[in-house]
Coordinates of all heavy atoms in Angstrom, one line a residue:
M1 N 8.7 -46.9 -8.5 CA 9.2 -46.3 -7.3 C 9.8 -44.9 -7.6 O 9.6 -44.0 -6.9 CB 10.2 -47.2 -6.6 CG 10.5 -46.9 -5.2 SD 9.1 -47.0 -4.2 CE 9.8 -46.7 -2.6
K2 N 10.6 -44.9 -8.7 CA 11.2 -43.7 -9.1 C 10.2 -42.6 -9.5 O 10.4 -41.4 -9.2 CB 12.1 -43.9 -10.3 CG 13.4 -44.6 -10.0 CD 14.3 -44.7 -11.2 CE 15.6 -45.4 -10.8 NZ 16.6 -45.4 -11.8
A3 N 9.1 -43.0 -10.1 CA 8.0 -42.0 -10.5 C 7.4 -41.4 -9.2 O 7.1 -40.2 -9.1 CB 7.0 -42.7 -11.3
L4 N 7.2 -42.3 -8.2 CA 6.6 -41.8 -7.0 C 7.5 -40.8 -6.3 O 7.1 -39.8 -5.8 CB 6.3 -43.0 -6.0 CG 5.6 -42.6 -4.7 CD1 4.3 -41.9 -4.9 CD2 5.4 -43.9 -3.9
K5 N 8.8 -41.1 -6.3 CA 9.8 -40.3 -5.7 C 9.9 -38.9 -6.4 O 9.9 -37.9 -5.8 CB 11.2 -40.9 -5.7 CG 12.2 -40.3 -4.8 CD 13.6 -40.9 -5.0 CE 13.7 -42.2 -4.2 NZ 15.0 -42.8 -4.1
A6 N 9.8 -38.9 -7.7 CA 9.8 -37.7 -8.5 C 8.6 -36.9 -8.2 O 8.6 -35.6 -8.1 CB 10.0 -38.0 -10.0
L7 N 7.4 -37.5 -8.1 CA 6.2 -36.8 -7.8 C 6.3 -36.2 -6.4 O 5.8 -35.0 -6.3 CB 5.0 -37.8 -7.8 CG 3.6 -37.3 -7.6 CD1 3.3 -36.3 -8.7 CD2 2.6 -38.4 -7.5
V8 N 6.8 -36.8 -5.4 CA 6.9 -36.3 -4.1 C 7.8 -35.1 -4.1 O 7.6 -34.0 -3.5 CB 7.3 -37.4 -3.1 CG1 7.7 -36.7 -1.7 CG2 6.2 -38.4 -2.9
I9 N 9.0 -35.2 -4.8 CA 9.9 -34.1 -4.8 C 9.3 -32.9 -5.6 O 9.4 -31.7 -5.2 CB 11.2 -34.6 -5.5 CG1 12.0 -35.5 -4.6 CG2 12.1 -33.4 -5.9 CD1 13.2 -36.2 -5.2
G10 N 8.6 -33.2 -6.6 CA 7.9 -32.1 -7.4 C 6.9 -31.4 -6.6 O 6.8 -30.1 -6.6
M11 N 6.1 -32.1 -5.8 CA 5.1 -31.5 -4.9 C 5.8 -30.7 -3.8 O 5.3 -29.6 -3.4 CB 4.2 -32.5 -4.4 CG 3.2 -33.1 -5.5 SD 2.2 -34.5 -5.1 CE 1.7 -34.4 -3.5
A12 N 6.9 -31.1 -3.3 CA 7.6 -30.4 -2.2 C 8.1 -29.1 -2.8 O 8.1 -28.0 -2.1 CB 8.7 -31.2 -1.7
V13 N 8.6 -29.1 -4.0 CA 9.1 -27.9 -4.7 C 7.9 -26.9 -4.8 O 8.1 -25.7 -4.6 CB 9.8 -28.2 -6.0 CG1 10.0 -26.9 -6.8 CG2 11.1 -28.9 -5.8
L14 N 6.8 -27.4 -5.3 CA 5.6 -26.5 -5.4 C 5.2 -25.9 -4.1 O 4.8 -24.7 -4.0 CB 4.4 -27.3 -6.0 CG 4.6 -27.6 -7.5 CD1 3.4 -28.5 -8.0 CD2 4.7 -26.3 -8.3
I15 N 5.2 -26.7 -3.0 CA 4.9 -26.1 -1.7 C 5.8 -25.0 -1.3 O 5.4 -24.0 -0.8 CB 4.8 -27.3 -0.6 CG1 3.6 -28.2 -0.9 CG2 4.8 -26.8 0.8 CD1 3.6 -29.5 -0.1
V16 N 7.1 -25.2 -1.5 CA 8.1 -24.2 -1.1 C 7.9 -23.0 -1.9 O 8.0 -21.9 -1.4 CB 9.5 -24.8 -1.2 CG1 10.6 -23.7 -1.1 CG2 9.8 -25.9 -0.2
L17 N 7.7 -23.1 -3.2 CA 7.4 -21.9 -4.1 C 6.2 -21.2 -3.6 O 6.1 -20.0 -3.6 CB 7.3 -22.4 -5.5 CG 8.6 -22.8 -6.2 CD1 8.4 -23.3 -7.6 CD2 9.6 -21.6 -6.2
G18 N 5.1 -21.9 -3.3 CA 3.8 -21.3 -2.9 C 4.0 -20.6 -1.6 O 3.5 -19.4 -1.4
L19 N 4.8 -21.2 -0.6 CA 5.1 -20.5 0.6 C 5.9 -19.2 0.4 O 5.6 -18.2 1.1 CB 5.8 -21.5 1.6 CG 6.1 -21.0 3.0 CD1 4.8 -20.6 3.7 CD2 6.9 -22.0 3.7
G20 N 6.8 -19.3 -0.5 CA 7.6 -18.1 -0.8 C 6.7 -17.0 -1.4 O 6.9 -15.8 -1.0
V21 N 5.8 -17.3 -2.2 CA 4.9 -16.3 -2.8 C 4.0 -15.7 -1.6 O 3.8 -14.4 -1.6 CB 4.0 -16.9 -3.9 CG1 2.8 -16.0 -4.2 CG2 4.8 -17.2 -5.1
V22 N 3.5 -16.5 -0.7 CA 2.7 -16.0 0.4 C 3.5 -15.1 1.3 O 3.1 -14.0 1.6 CB 2.1 -17.2 1.2 CG1 1.5 -16.7 2.5 CG2 1.1 -17.9 0.4
V23 N 4.7 -15.4 1.6 CA 5.6 -14.6 2.5 C 5.9 -13.3 1.8 O 5.9 -12.2 2.4 CB 6.9 -15.4 2.9 CG1 7.9 -14.5 3.5 CG2 6.6 -16.5 3.8
A24 N 6.2 -13.3 0.5 CA 6.5 -12.1 -0.3 C 5.3 -11.2 -0.3 O 5.5 -10.0 -0.2 CB 7.0 -12.5 -1.7
K25 N 4.1 -11.7 -0.5 CA 2.9 -10.9 -0.5 C 2.7 -10.3 0.9 O 2.3 -9.1 1.0 CB 1.7 -11.8 -0.9 CG 0.4 -11.1 -0.9 CD 0.3 -10.1 -2.0 CE -1.1 -9.5 -2.0 NZ -1.1 -8.2 -2.7
I26 N 2.9 -11.0 2.0 CA 2.7 -10.5 3.3 C 3.7 -9.3 3.6 O 3.4 -8.3 4.1 CB 2.9 -11.6 4.4 CG1 1.7 -12.5 4.3 CG2 3.1 -11.0 5.8 CD1 1.9 -13.7 5.2
I27 N 5.0 -9.5 3.1 CA 6.0 -8.4 3.3 C 5.6 -7.2 2.5 O 5.7 -6.1 2.9 CB 7.4 -9.0 2.9 CG1 7.8 -10.0 4.0 CG2 8.4 -7.9 2.8 CD1 9.1 -10.8 3.6
A28 N 5.2 -7.4 1.3 CA 4.8 -6.3 0.4 C 3.6 -5.5 1.0 O 3.6 -4.3 1.0 CB 4.5 -6.8 -1.0
D29 N 2.6 -6.2 1.5 CA 1.4 -5.6 2.1 C 1.8 -4.8 3.4 O 1.3 -3.7 3.6 CB 0.3 -6.6 2.4 CG -0.4 -7.0 1.1 OD1 -0.1 -6.4 0.1 OD2 -1.1 -8.0 1.2
S30 N 2.7 -5.4 4.2 CA 3.0 -4.7 5.4 C 3.9 -3.5 5.2 O 3.8 -2.5 5.9 CB 3.7 -5.7 6.4 OG 5.0 -6.0 5.9
S31 N 4.7 -3.5 4.1 CA 5.5 -2.3 3.8 C 4.6 -1.2 3.3 O 4.9 0.0 3.5 CB 6.6 -2.6 2.9 OG 6.1 -3.0 1.6
D32 N 3.5 -1.5 2.6 CA 2.6 -0.5 2.1 C 1.9 0.2 3.2 O 1.6 1.3 3.2 CB 1.6 -1.1 1.1 CG 2.2 -1.5 -0.2 OD1 3.3 -1.0 -0.5 OD2 1.5 -2.3 -1.0
A33 N 1.5 -0.6 4.3 CA 0.8 -0.1 5.4 C 1.6 0.9 6.2 O 1.1 1.8 6.9 CB 0.2 -1.2 6.3
T34 N 2.9 0.7 6.2 CA 3.8 1.6 7.0 C 4.5 2.7 6.2 O 5.3 3.3 6.7 CB 4.8 0.8 7.8 OG1 5.6 0.0 6.8 CG2 4.2 -0.2 8.7
G35 N 4.0 2.8 5.0 CA 4.7 3.8 4.1 C 4.2 5.2 4.4 O 3.5 5.4 5.4
P36 N 4.7 6.1 3.6 CA 4.3 7.5 3.9 C 2.8 7.8 3.8 O 2.2 7.2 2.9 CB 5.1 8.3 2.9 CG 5.4 7.4 1.8 CD 5.5 6.0 2.4
R37 N 2.3 8.6 4.7 CA 0.9 8.9 4.7 C 0.7 10.3 4.1 O 1.5 11.2 4.3 CB 0.3 8.9 6.1 CG 0.6 7.6 6.8 CD -0.6 6.7 6.7 NE -0.4 5.5 7.4 CZ -1.1 4.4 7.3 NH1 -2.1 4.4 6.4 NH2 -0.8 3.4 7.9
A38 N -0.5 10.5 3.5 CA -0.8 11.9 3.0 C -1.2 12.7 4.2 O -1.8 12.3 5.2 CB -2.0 11.8 2.0
D39 N -0.8 14.0 4.1 CA -1.2 15.0 5.2 C -2.7 15.3 5.1 O -3.1 15.7 4.1 CB -0.3 16.2 5.0 CG -0.6 17.2 6.2 OD1 -1.2 16.8 7.2 OD2 -0.2 18.4 6.0
L40 N -3.4 15.0 6.2 CA -4.8 15.2 6.2 C -5.2 16.6 6.6 O -6.3 17.0 6.7 CB -5.5 14.2 7.1 CG -5.3 12.7 6.6 CD1 -6.0 11.8 7.6 CD2 -5.9 12.5 5.3
G41 N -4.2 17.4 7.0 CA -4.4 18.8 7.5 C -4.9 18.8 8.9 O -4.7 17.9 9.7
T42 N -5.4 20.0 9.3 CA -5.8 20.2 10.7 C -7.3 20.4 10.7 O -7.9 21.2 9.9 CB -5.1 21.5 11.2 OG1 -3.7 21.3 11.2 CG2 -5.5 21.7 12.7
L43 N -8.0 19.7 11.6 CA -9.4 19.8 11.8 C -9.6 20.7 13.0 O -9.2 20.4 14.1 CB -10.0 18.5 12.0 CG -11.5 18.5 12.4 CD1 -12.4 19.1 11.3 CD2 -12.0 17.1 12.7
H44 N -10.2 21.8 12.9 CA -10.6 22.7 14.0 C -12.0 22.4 14.4 O -12.9 22.5 13.6 CB -10.4 24.2 13.6 CG -9.0 24.5 13.3 ND1 -8.1 24.8 14.3 CD2 -8.3 24.6 12.1 CE1 -6.9 25.1 13.7 NE2 -7.0 25.0 12.4
L45 N -12.2 22.1 15.7 CA -13.5 21.7 16.2 C -14.4 22.9 16.5 O -15.6 22.7 16.8 CB -13.3 20.8 17.4 CG -12.6 19.5 17.1 CD1 -12.4 18.7 18.4 CD2 -13.4 18.6 16.1
G46 N -13.8 24.1 16.6 CA -14.6 25.3 16.9 C -15.0 25.3 18.3 O -16.2 25.7 18.6
L47 N -14.2 24.9 19.3 CA -14.6 24.8 20.7 C -14.0 26.0 21.4 O -13.0 26.6 21.0 CB -14.0 23.5 21.3 CG -14.5 22.2 20.6 CD1 -13.8 21.0 21.2 CD2 -16.0 22.1 20.8
D48 N -14.5 26.2 22.6 CA -14.0 27.2 23.5 C -12.6 26.8 24.0 O -12.4 25.6 24.1 CB -15.0 27.4 24.7 CG -14.6 28.6 25.6 OD1 -13.8 28.4 26.5 OD2 -15.2 29.7 25.3
D49 N -11.8 27.7 24.3 CA -10.4 27.4 24.7 C -10.4 26.6 26.1 O -9.4 25.9 26.4 CB -9.6 28.7 24.9 CG -9.2 29.3 23.5 OD1 -9.2 28.5 22.5 OD2 -8.9 30.5 23.5
A50 N -11.5 26.7 26.8 CA -11.6 26.0 28.1 C -11.8 24.5 27.9 O -11.6 23.7 28.8 CB -12.7 26.6 29.0
C51 N -12.3 24.1 26.7 CA -12.6 22.7 26.5 C -11.3 21.9 26.2 O -10.4 22.4 25.6 CB -13.5 22.6 25.2 SG -15.1 23.4 25.4
R52 N -11.4 20.6 26.7 CA -10.3 19.7 26.5 C -10.8 18.4 25.9 O -11.9 18.0 26.3 CB -9.6 19.4 27.8 CG -9.0 20.7 28.4 CD -7.7 21.1 27.7 NE -7.2 22.4 28.2 CZ -7.3 23.5 27.6 NH1 -7.8 23.6 26.4 NH2 -6.7 24.6 28.1
I53 N -10.0 17.7 25.1 CA -10.4 16.4 24.6 C -10.1 15.4 25.7 O -9.0 15.2 26.1 CB -9.7 16.1 23.3 CG1 -10.1 17.0 22.2 CG2 -9.9 14.6 22.9 CD1 -9.3 16.9 20.9
A54 N -11.2 14.7 26.2 CA -11.0 13.8 27.3 C -10.8 12.3 26.8 O -10.3 11.5 27.5 CB -12.3 13.8 28.2
G55 N -11.2 12.1 25.6 CA -11.0 10.8 25.0 C -11.4 10.7 23.5 O -12.3 11.4 23.1
V56 N -10.8 9.8 22.8 CA -11.2 9.6 21.4 C -11.3 8.0 21.2 O -10.4 7.3 21.6 CB -10.1 10.1 20.5 CG1 -10.4 9.8 19.0 CG2 -9.9 11.6 20.7
T57 N -12.4 7.7 20.5 CA -12.6 6.3 20.2 C -12.9 6.2 18.7 O -13.6 7.0 18.2 CB -13.8 5.7 21.0 OG1 -13.6 5.9 22.4 CG2 -14.0 4.2 20.7
G58 N -12.4 5.2 18.1 CA -12.6 5.0 16.6 C -13.7 4.0 16.4 O -13.9 3.0 17.1
T59 N -14.6 4.3 15.4 CA -15.6 3.3 15.0 C -15.2 2.9 13.6 O -14.0 3.1 13.2 CB -17.0 4.0 15.0 OG1 -17.0 5.1 14.1 CG2 -17.4 4.4 16.4
D60 N -16.1 2.4 12.8 CA -15.8 1.9 11.4 C -15.1 3.0 10.6 O -14.0 2.8 10.1 CB -17.0 1.4 10.7 CG -17.5 0.1 11.3 OD1 -16.7 -0.6 11.9 OD2 -18.7 -0.2 11.2
D61 N -15.8 4.2 10.5 CA -15.2 5.2 9.7 C -15.4 6.6 10.3 O -15.3 7.6 9.7 CB -15.9 5.2 8.3 CG -17.4 5.4 8.3 OD1 -17.9 5.3 9.4 OD2 -18.0 5.6 7.3
R62 N -15.6 6.6 11.6 CA -15.8 7.8 12.4 C -15.0 7.8 13.6 O -14.5 6.8 14.1 CB -17.3 8.0 12.8 CG -18.3 8.0 11.7 CD -18.3 9.4 11.0 NE -19.5 9.5 10.1 CZ -19.4 9.3 8.8 NH1 -18.3 9.0 8.2 NH2 -20.5 9.5 8.1
L63 N -14.7 9.0 14.2 CA -14.1 9.2 15.5 C -15.1 9.7 16.4 O -15.9 10.7 16.1 CB -12.9 10.1 15.4 CG -11.7 9.7 14.6 CD1 -10.7 10.8 14.5 CD2 -11.1 8.4 15.2
V64 N -15.2 9.2 17.6 CA -16.0 9.7 18.7 C -15.1 10.4 19.7 O -14.2 9.9 20.3 CB -16.8 8.6 19.4 CG1 -17.7 9.1 20.5 CG2 -17.7 7.8 18.4
V65 N -15.3 11.8 19.8 CA -14.5 12.6 20.6 C -15.3 13.1 21.8 O -16.3 13.8 21.7 CB -14.0 13.8 19.8 CG1 -13.1 14.7 20.6 CG2 -13.2 13.4 18.5
R66 N -14.8 12.7 23.0 CA -15.5 13.1 24.3 C -14.7 14.3 24.8 O -13.5 14.3 24.9 CB -15.4 12.0 25.3 CG -16.2 12.2 26.5 CD -16.3 11.0 27.4 NE -15.1 10.3 27.6 CZ -14.2 10.6 28.6 NH1 -14.5 11.5 29.5 NH2 -13.1 9.9 28.7
L67 N -15.5 15.4 25.1 CA -15.0 16.6 25.6 C -15.1 16.8 27.1 O -16.1 16.2 27.6 CB -15.6 17.8 24.8 CG -15.6 17.8 23.3 CD1 -16.4 19.0 22.8 CD2 -14.1 17.9 22.9
D68 N -14.3 17.6 27.7 CA -14.3 17.8 29.1 C -14.1 19.3 29.3 O -13.3 19.9 28.6 CB -13.3 17.0 29.8 CG -13.5 16.9 31.3 OD1 -14.6 17.3 31.8 OD2 -12.5 16.6 32.0
G69 N -14.7 19.9 30.4 CA -14.5 21.3 30.7 C -15.8 21.9 31.2 O -16.7 21.2 31.4
P70 N -15.8 23.2 31.3 CA -17.0 23.8 31.9 C -18.2 23.7 31.0 O -18.1 23.8 29.7 CB -16.6 25.3 31.9 CG -15.1 25.4 31.6 CD -14.7 24.1 31.0
A71 N -19.3 23.3 31.6 CA -20.5 23.1 30.8 C -21.0 24.3 30.1 O -21.6 24.3 29.0 CB -21.6 22.5 31.7
D72 N -20.8 25.5 30.8 CA -21.3 26.7 30.2 C -20.6 27.1 29.0 O -21.0 28.0 28.2 CB -21.3 27.8 31.3 CG -19.9 28.1 31.8 OD1 -19.0 27.3 31.6 OD2 -19.8 29.2 32.4
A73 N -19.4 26.5 28.8 CA -18.6 26.8 27.5 C -19.0 25.8 26.4 O -18.4 25.8 25.4 CB -17.1 26.8 27.9
G74 N -19.9 24.9 26.7 CA -20.3 23.9 25.7 C -19.3 22.7 25.6 O -19.2 22.0 24.6
C75 N -18.6 22.5 26.7 CA -17.5 21.5 26.7 C -18.0 20.1 27.1 O -17.2 19.1 27.0 CB -16.4 21.9 27.7 SG -15.6 23.4 27.3
G76 N -19.2 19.9 27.5 CA -19.7 18.6 27.9 C -20.2 17.7 26.8 O -20.9 16.7 27.0
E77 N -19.9 18.0 25.6 CA -20.5 17.3 24.4 C -19.6 16.1 24.0 O -18.5 16.0 24.4 CB -20.5 18.3 23.2 CG -21.5 19.4 23.4 CD -21.6 20.3 22.1 OE1 -20.6 20.3 21.3 OE2 -22.6 20.9 21.9
V78 N -20.2 15.3 23.2 CA -19.5 14.2 22.5 C -19.7 14.5 21.0 O -20.8 14.8 20.5 CB -20.1 12.9 22.8 CG1 -19.5 11.8 22.0 CG2 -20.0 12.6 24.3
L79 N -18.6 14.6 20.3 CA -18.6 14.9 18.9 C -18.4 13.7 18.0 O -17.6 12.8 18.4 CB -17.5 15.9 18.5 CG -17.4 17.2 19.3 CD1 -16.2 18.0 18.9 CD2 -18.7 18.0 19.1
L80 N -19.0 13.6 16.9 CA -18.8 12.5 15.9 C -18.1 13.2 14.7 O -18.7 14.1 14.1 CB -20.2 11.9 15.5 CG -20.1 10.7 14.6 CD1 -19.4 9.6 15.3 CD2 -21.5 10.3 14.2
V81 N -16.9 12.7 14.5 CA -16.1 13.3 13.4 C -15.8 12.4 12.3 O -15.5 11.2 12.5 CB -14.7 13.8 14.1 CG1 -13.8 14.4 13.0 CG2 -14.9 14.7 15.2
D82 N -15.9 12.9 11.1 CA -15.6 12.1 9.9 C -14.2 12.5 9.5 O -14.0 13.6 8.9 CB -16.6 12.4 8.8 CG -16.2 11.6 7.5 OD1 -15.2 11.0 7.4 OD2 -17.1 11.6 6.6
P83 N -13.1 11.8 9.8 CA -11.8 12.2 9.5 C -11.5 12.3 8.0 O -10.7 13.1 7.6 CB -10.9 11.1 10.2 CG -11.7 10.0 10.4 CD -13.2 10.5 10.5
G84 N -12.2 11.5 7.2 CA -11.9 11.5 5.8 C -12.4 12.8 5.2 O -11.8 13.4 4.3
A85 N -13.6 13.3 5.6 CA -14.1 14.6 5.2 C -13.5 15.8 5.9 O -13.6 16.9 5.5 CB -15.6 14.6 5.3
G86 N -12.9 15.5 7.1 CA -12.3 16.6 7.9 C -13.4 17.5 8.5 O -13.2 18.7 8.5
K87 N -14.5 16.9 9.0 CA -15.5 17.8 9.6 C -16.3 17.0 10.7 O -16.3 15.8 10.7 CB -16.5 18.3 8.6 CG -17.3 17.3 7.9 CD -18.2 17.9 6.8 CE -19.1 16.8 6.2 NZ -20.0 17.4 5.2
V88 N -16.9 17.8 11.6 CA -17.7 17.3 12.6 C -19.1 17.0 12.0 O -19.7 17.9 11.4 CB -17.9 18.3 13.8 CG1 -18.9 17.8 14.8 CG2 -16.6 18.6 14.4
V89 N -19.6 15.7 12.1 CA -20.8 15.4 11.4 C -22.0 15.2 12.4 O -23.1 15.0 12.0 CB -20.7 14.1 10.6 CG1 -19.7 14.3 9.5 CG2 -20.2 12.9 11.5
G90 N -21.7 15.3 13.7 CA -22.7 15.2 14.7 C -22.2 15.6 16.1 O -21.1 15.5 16.4
R91 N -23.2 16.0 16.9 CA -22.9 16.3 18.3 C -23.9 15.7 19.2 O -25.1 15.7 18.9 CB -22.9 17.9 18.5 CG -21.9 18.6 17.8 CD -22.0 20.1 17.9 NE -21.0 20.8 17.2 CZ -19.9 21.2 17.7 NH1 -19.6 21.0 19.0 NH2 -19.0 21.9 17.0
I92 N -23.5 15.3 20.4 CA -24.4 14.8 21.4 C -24.1 15.7 22.6 O -23.0 15.8 23.1 CB -24.1 13.3 21.8 CG1 -24.3 12.4 20.6 CG2 -25.0 12.9 22.9 CD1 -23.8 11.0 20.8
A93 N -25.2 16.5 23.0 CA -25.1 17.4 24.1 C -25.9 16.9 25.3 O -27.0 16.5 25.1 CB -25.5 18.8 23.6
P94 N -25.3 17.1 26.5 CA -26.1 16.7 27.7 C -27.2 17.7 27.9 O -27.2 18.8 27.4 CB -25.1 16.7 28.8 CG -24.1 17.7 28.3 CD -24.0 17.6 26.8
G95 N -28.2 17.3 28.7 CA -29.3 18.2 29.1 C -30.4 18.1 28.1 O -30.5 17.3 27.2
Q96 N -31.4 19.0 28.3 CA -32.6 19.0 27.5 C -32.4 19.8 26.2 O -31.6 20.7 26.1 CB -33.7 19.6 28.3 CG -34.1 18.8 29.5 CD -35.3 19.4 30.2 OE1 -35.9 20.4 29.8 NE2 -35.6 18.8 31.4
A97 N -33.1 19.4 25.2 CA -33.1 20.1 23.9 C -33.7 21.5 24.1 O -34.6 21.7 24.8 CB -33.8 19.3 22.8
P98 N -33.2 22.5 23.3 CA -33.8 23.8 23.4 C -35.2 23.8 23.0 O -35.6 22.9 22.1 CB -32.9 24.6 22.4 CG -31.7 23.8 22.2 CD -32.0 22.4 22.5
K99 N -36.0 24.6 23.5 CA -37.5 24.7 23.1 C -37.6 25.0 21.7 O -36.9 25.8 21.1 CB -38.2 25.7 24.0 CG -38.2 25.3 25.5 CD -39.0 26.2 26.2 CE -38.9 25.8 27.7 NZ -40.0 26.1 28.5
G100 N -38.6 24.3 21.1 CA -38.8 24.5 19.7 C -38.0 23.5 18.7 O -38.2 23.5 17.5
S101 N -37.1 22.8 19.3 CA -36.3 21.8 18.4 C -36.9 20.4 18.7 O -37.4 20.1 19.7 CB -34.8 21.9 18.7 OG -34.6 21.5 20.0
S102 N -36.7 19.5 17.8 CA -37.2 18.2 17.9 C -36.1 17.2 18.2 O -35.0 17.2 17.8 CB -38.0 17.6 16.8 OG -38.0 18.5 15.7

């Protein structure tokens, strides 16, 4: 009976220690996520001053930026931005493609 009691107490101690390790790891990971961030700089989209950002949606590793404003200023586009590279990697423009392009 004493051996069984010692075994149960030993297993309880191991469970408490394991739980402590898990909680410590969660706290360490969450403090890393809220730590200081590197300055990524400023990304200039090269848009007309009349254009406004109407919305931004994140994908896996890209940002989809929806523009609003006068169509003649090129503001009706949707931009695909790579924030890691700091550049626009694609554009979706409304209307027909210019003649001669595919």
Side-chain angles (χ1 to χ4, degrees):
M1 192 66 172
K2 287 185 178 187
L4 181 61
K5 192 184 284 188
L7 182 63
V8 169
I9 291 172
M11 288 172 36
V13 169
L14 286 176
I15 289 172
V16 170
L17 288 174
L19 183 61
V21 168
V22 169
V23 169
K25 178 69 173 157
I26 290 171
I27 291 172
D29 287 347
S30 67
S31 66
D32 287 345
T34 58
R37 305 266 181 193
D39 183 14
L40 298 176
T42 302
L43 172 62
H44 295 280
L45 299 175
L47 302 172
D48 190 273
D49 289 339
C51 298
R52 299 287 174 249
I53 295 175
V56 177
T57 303
T59 62
D60 291 333
D61 57 349
R62 301 280 193 262
L63 294 176
V64 178
V65 180
R66 188 171 47 90
L67 303 176
D68 192 20
D72 60 344
C75 299
E77 295 183 334
V78 175
L79 305 177
L80 187 60
V81 178
D82 181 351
K87 63 182 182 176
V88 176
V89 295
R91 293 176 181 267
I92 301 171
Q96 295 183 5
K99 294 188 184 208
S101 65
S102 2

